């Protein structure tokens, strides 16, 4: 189904509905993860409370607080390890990365982001990972959103990419450090997830 794939930039591929066949399993496993490490709105170093609620699974997880951004193997909310990454997440990540031209990708961290209506993510780079040779695999579930895919400078106007349930975006290589974000989520009802969008962002962080 190569013709369903859209290149956004060199090293960046949008694969429409790539995760759709597994979405029920992903959501079931996600529920078990967030039962142990609940979604929570984190605070940036500057004291801004994010509108997106986040959690993680895998060997380490992305966190932000008054100390700044980092990966930590302990969930600060539970003081326990993050839940293990479900095999279905890792398998899909490896498969999507392979289809996008990044063979042998084995994620060790998954940032889980839940957007409710109005929630947004401002333009940023994913640069807290130790391994910048591995791509980011980003899975969209639930309500549609407008993904902003920018350049290597924040000021560069981003491309607006509508993402729907099951869509997967992979960016790596020359696109690994591109700025990206998400426009405020429009209110609607999704048959599986209700009034929200969930993003699973698989990385090799360590
Ligand atoms: C992220 O940049 O971590 C999330 C992107 C998305 O929600 O699509
Ligand atoms: Fe990101």
């Amino acid at each position: 189904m190569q013709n369903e794939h859209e290149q956004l930039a060199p090293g960046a591929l949008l694969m429409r509905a790539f995760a759709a066949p597994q979405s029920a399993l992903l959501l079931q496993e996600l529920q078990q993860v967030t039962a142990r490490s609940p979604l929570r709105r984190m605070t940036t170093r500057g004291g801004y409370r994010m509108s997106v609620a986040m959690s993680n699974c895998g060997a380490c997880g992305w966190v932000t607080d008054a100390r700044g951004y980092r990966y930590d193997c302990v969930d600060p909310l539970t003081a326990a390890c993050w839940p293990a990454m479900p095999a279905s997440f890792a398998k899909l990540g490896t498969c999507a990365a392979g289809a996008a031209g990044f063979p042998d990708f084995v994620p060790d961290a998954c940032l889980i982001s839940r957007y409710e209506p109005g929630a947004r993510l401002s333009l940023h780079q994913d640069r807290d990972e130790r391994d910048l040779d591995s791509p980011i695999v980003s899975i969209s579930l639930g309500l549609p959103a407008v993904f902003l895919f920018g350049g290597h400078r924040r000021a560069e106007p981003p491309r607006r990419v509508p993402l729907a349930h099951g869509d997967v975006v992979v960016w790596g290589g020359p696109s690994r450090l591109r700025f990206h974000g998400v426009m405020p989520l429009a209110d609607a009802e999704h048959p599986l997830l209700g009034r929200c969008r969930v993003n699973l962002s698989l990385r090799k962080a360590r």
Side-chain angles (χ1 to χ4, degrees), residues 82-142:
W82 296 102
M85 188 182 309
S88 59
F89 289 23
K91 203 169 154 188
L92 182 59
T94 299
C95 191
F102 301 98
D104 310 319
F105 172 64
V106 180
D108 61 9
C110 175
L111 174 63
I112 302 158
S113 302
R114 184 188 63 204
Y115 298 74
E116 289 186 336
R120 61 186 287 270
L121 196 61
S122 55
L123 283 179
H124 65 280
Q125 294 169 296
D126 292 351
R127 58 182 319 152
D128 301 316
E129 300 70 34
R130 206 172 288 164
D131 181 356
L132 294 178
D133 293 331
S134 291
I136 302 286
V137 174
S138 174
I139 304 162
S140 292
L141 297 168

Side-chain angles (χ1 to χ4, degrees), residues 30 33-34 37-42 50 52-64 69-72 75-76 82-86 89 105 107-115 121 124-129 136-141 171 180 182 197-205:
L30 178 66
V33 167
T34 56
S37 272
L39 291 153
R40 81 297 302 261
R41 287 171 59 199
M42 301 186 200
M50 297 181 73
V52 180
M54 294 174 164
S55 184
N56 292 275
C57 59
C60 54
W62 185 87
V63 293
T64 173
Y69 305 146
R70 65 189 175 278
Y71 278 91
D72 203 317
D75 177 353
W82 296 102
M85 188 182 309
F89 289 23
F105 172 64
D108 61 9
C110 175
L111 174 63
I112 302 158
S113 302
R114 184 188 63 204
Y115 298 74
L121 196 61
H124 65 280
Q125 294 169 296
D126 292 351
R127 58 182 319 152
D128 301 316
E129 300 70 34
I136 302 286
V137 174
S138 174
I139 304 162
S140 292
L141 297 168
W171 63 95
H180 58 279
V182 178
R197 167 179 187 260
V198 169
N199 177 262
L200 305 177
S201 177
L202 299 162
R203 297 101 187 267
K204 174 130 182 56

